[in-house]
Amino acid sequence: IADQNATTFAAKDGSNLVLSLDVNVQEIVERYLTEAVAANNVENRGCAIVMNVKTGAILAMASNRRYDLNDPRNLGAMYTQEQIDAMTEEQKSEAWNQMWRNFCVSDSFEPGSPAKPLTVAAALEEGIIGSQETFVCDGAQEVGGHRIKCVSIYGHGVLSVEQTLMKSCNDAMMQIAARMGVERFARYQEIFGFGQKTGIDLPGEADTAGLIFHADNMGAADLACNSFGQTYNCTMVQMAAALSSVINGGSYYEPHV
């Protein structure tokens, strides 16, 4: 029965929401990510980001932990029914939060070798190394009382700058970082966006401010390990944005969807 006192308003169109995500790229990323997780017996997280390096636009972002948006509390994709039945309400709540969590934005990790191009780019920008320079890798460096090994414990031998990245040489990275020193290295980590939020327009971005070294607390061994992406943390979206700035010629764009 109509309310005789009701006021009727004409409908108005809402605002448009346009995403940078490309459904085709997203589908491809999810398919190959699923295959890679299975092939490598990944027990924890498998994630991927595809970003337009010239704009910061996210074209695809995926995790192996997926759920049905129409049935978001269904844990069947991650657990057996027996496991679900054995969970307390608190355990279910934790399982839901882990399933819903966007690792690419909300979690941090040691980046490892993907950080090496950043070390080389910073050194080239500062004129500390030249593009035609060579480095000798003998398998390790003695730094700060520690013997820090290369990925090749027997050494890569003589490498060009390009080959240091092709061979993923820790030894060469440590030599480059030592020339830079803690002041310049720490400044470039800030320039590349580490230790600060990217500002991506998604909720739950991790705060990594306390997960990197600064010039005043970075020792020689810390500098050496940082040069090849260890002993500090970043998020996937931080690393994607930083690498994009190297690839596109030096412009840092705020990642966005």
Side-chain angles (χ1 to χ4, degrees):
I1 300 173
D3 184 347
Q4 299 299 319
N5 297 317
T7 302
T8 302
F9 296 94
K12 293 183 179 180
D13 290 337
S15 299
N16 291 325
L17 176 63
V18 180
L19 300 182
S20 62
L21 297 177
D22 184 310
V23 66
N24 295 311
V25 179
Q26 182 73 27
E27 190 277 330
I28 292 169
V29 166
E30 290 188 11
R31 173 155 45 90
Y32 282 103
L33 179 61
T34 299
E35 292 178 5
V37 166
N40 293 283
N41 297 315
V42 175
E43 295 182 1
N44 192 11
R45 288 277 188 167
C47 303
I49 296 176
V50 177
M51 180 185 290
N52 184 331
V53 300
K54 296 181 179 179
T55 65
I58 303 291
L59 303 180
M61 181 180 286
S63 167
N64 64 318
R65 295 190 181 181
R66 300 175 195 138
Y67 59 94
D68 184 351
L69 290 173
N70 294 309
D71 190 10
R73 294 180 183 274
N74 185 346
L75 293 167
M78 293 180 57
Y79 302 93
T80 65
Q81 190 57 50
E82 184 179 5
Q83 290 173 319
I84 296 171
D85 292 340
M87 288 181 181
T88 64
E89 288 304 311
E90 184 177 352
Q91 289 172 328
K92 284 183 180 179
S93 179
E94 175 61 22
W96 287 326
N97 286 323
Q98 287 302 315
M99 185 172 64
W100 298 333
R101 192 176 183 88
N102 185 348
F103 181 92
C104 297
V105 173
S106 300
D107 290 277
S108 65
F109 61 99
E110 283 188 328
S113 292
K116 292 174 181 175
L118 307 179
T119 298
V120 172
L124 287 170
E125 180 72 15
E126 287 291 296
I128 293 169
I129 63 173
S131 60
Q132 303 304 312
E133 197 159 349
T134 58
F135 296 87
V136 177
C137 169
D138 60 5
Q141 288 282 312
E142 295 288 343
V143 185
H146 303 278
R147 181 172 175 78
I148 305 175
K149 296 179 180 179
C150 185
V151 63
S152 172
I153 60 173
Y154 302 108
H156 290 112
V158 179
L159 299 173
S160 67
V161 173
E162 183 179 17
Q163 288 171 330
T164 66
L165 295 175
M166 293 170 64
K167 299 287 187 180
S168 194
C169 181
N170 293 354
D171 194 335
M173 295 302 120
M174 289 187 277
Q175 294 176 52
I176 293 170
R179 292 191 197 179
M180 291 182 68
V182 295
E183 292 285 347
R184 281 188 287 195
F185 189 90
R187 179 163 58 85
Y188 271 90
Q189 281 206 314
E190 182 179 352
I191 289 171
F192 283 125
F194 297 117
Q196 53 199 298
K197 293 185 178 182
T198 65
I200 189 171
D201 46 359
L202 289 173
E205 183 172 12
D207 183 356
T208 59
L211 301 178
I212 68 167
F213 288 95
H214 301 279
D216 60 357
N217 67 352
M218 184 185 294
D222 304 319
L223 173 63
C225 292
N226 276 202
S227 73
F228 53 86
Q230 292 185 12
T231 68
Y232 74 92
N233 275 34
C234 70
T235 63
M236 282 192 72
V237 73
Q238 279 178 331
M239 180 54 70
L243 284 172
S244 292
S245 71
V246 172
I247 295 167
N248 69 29
S251 297
Y252 184 94
Y253 294 104
E254 184 176 277
H256 59 275
V257 295

